[in-house]
Amino acid sequence: MLVEEIMSKPTVKLSPSDLIEEALALLNEHTIRHIPIVDESDQVVGILSDRDVRDATPSILEPDQNYQILKHDVSSIMTSPVITVHPLDFIEDIASIFYDHEIACVPVTKNNQLVGIVTEKDLLYRLIQLTGIHEQSSQIEIKVPNKVGVLPHVTRIVSERNTNISSVYVYPYQDSYTEKIIVLRIQTMNPMPLIDELKQHGYEVIWPNIPGLSK
């Protein structure tokens, strides 16, 4: 899945010379957490978060606060430089950027101009969709040897039972280089016959681990 499929557009934006009070109003009006800051050519020069604004905004609970800070430019509190991504980047790469840099959003640029924004919420929602968990289904986790042909064999067993697969993904088993976990989400609320058959073919089903089925 590509970034252009999940990004928000058009996006709210500000220039470096706009005031902090304007940023506060936009965050509240649009119920958003981040605002890209762009120059006159629409190139991203910074990013402003609700936390940046909140930290700079005087508390109504404390007397003698300096409310003049709201008249300062957003450039005084924005984060710069900014990591950006391209609309044709893969969302898996974006997830890695979020994790490695501990950030919660990335502006999306094309030809160096802002075209959208992706937040961690956008990314998480799409990753949930990719797992198929939003559909009525059952999940099966199978420990398999890490070798060619295993995944087609497992999916063929599922297909021969006329069961549709909502999603499939593979991840390493602990720190092993010789074993993998195949996670299947199948469109049935009774996975027990399929689990039994997988075990009869010699596969170790680690979830759900139902006592009494064939080993």
Side-chain angles (χ1 to χ4, degrees):
M1 185 175 289
L2 301 177
V3 167
E4 64 181 4
E5 299 177 62
I6 70 170
M7 69 183 188
S8 299
K9 58 177 182 178
T11 184
V12 175
K13 57 188 176 181
L14 289 171
S15 69
S17 59
D18 287 328
L19 305 181
I20 295 175
E21 64 179 359
E22 297 177 65
L24 179 61
L26 284 176
L27 289 168
N28 292 332
E29 177 185 352
H30 296 278
T31 319
I32 54 178
R33 295 179 56 197
H34 303 88
I35 301 177
I37 311 301
V38 298
D39 62 16
E40 62 277 0
S41 301
D42 225 23
Q43 295 187 24
V44 178
V45 295
I47 191 79
L48 193 66
S49 72
D50 59 343
R51 181 173 181 176
D52 296 328
V53 175
R54 184 172 64 249
D55 289 346
T57 303
S59 172
I60 62 174
L61 301 178
E62 297 183 18
D64 303 323
Q65 291 290 311
N66 180 16
Y67 287 91
Q68 281 302 114
I69 195 171
L70 296 176
K71 302 297 183 181
H72 291 184
D73 294 348
V74 296
S75 61
S76 64
I77 62 171
M78 71 183 188
T79 298
S80 180
V82 184
I83 297 172
T84 62
V85 297
H86 190 274
L88 298 182
D89 287 340
F90 292 106
I91 66 170
E92 294 90 337
D93 297 329
I94 306 307
S96 178
I97 290 174
F98 280 13
Y99 178 80
D100 291 340
H101 296 274
E102 298 182 352
I103 56 178
C105 83
V106 286
V108 184
T109 61
K110 185 177 182 181
N111 298 324
N112 292 324
Q113 294 185 315
L114 180 69
V115 294
I117 190 171
V118 175
T119 68
E120 58 184 354
K121 184 177 180 180
D122 298 327
L123 182 62
L124 182 59
Y125 174 71
R126 292 296 182 171
L127 291 177
I128 289 173
Q129 285 189 312
L130 288 176
T131 66
I133 198 172
H134 60 292
E135 300 178 357
Q136 192 174 41
S137 57
S138 299
Q139 181 167 306
I140 299 175
E141 298 184 16
I142 313 154
K143 185 167 72 171
V144 300
N146 183 19
K147 63 181 183 180
V148 175
V150 172
L151 180 58
H153 186 236
V154 169
T155 56
R156 185 166 65 250
I157 294 172
V158 179
S159 176
E160 288 173 351
R161 297 198 65 87
N162 294 318
T163 303
N164 193 34
I165 298 175
S166 298
S167 68
V168 54
Y169 54 96
V170 182
Y171 65 90
Y173 175 67
Q174 299 179 355
D175 295 325
S176 174
Y177 292 99
T178 60
E179 295 175 303
K180 296 279 189 178
I181 301 296
I182 296 177
V183 181
L184 299 173
R185 187 162 287 276
I186 55 175
Q187 291 182 355
T188 177
M189 298 308 294
N190 180 21
M192 294 175 65
L194 178 57
I195 291 171
D196 189 28
E197 187 162 347
L198 286 166
K199 289 185 175 183
Q200 289 176 14
H201 279 81
Y203 291 111
E204 181 180 351
V205 177
I206 61 174
W207 180 264
N209 189 1
I210 302 174
L213 292 182
S214 301
K215 295 184 178 181

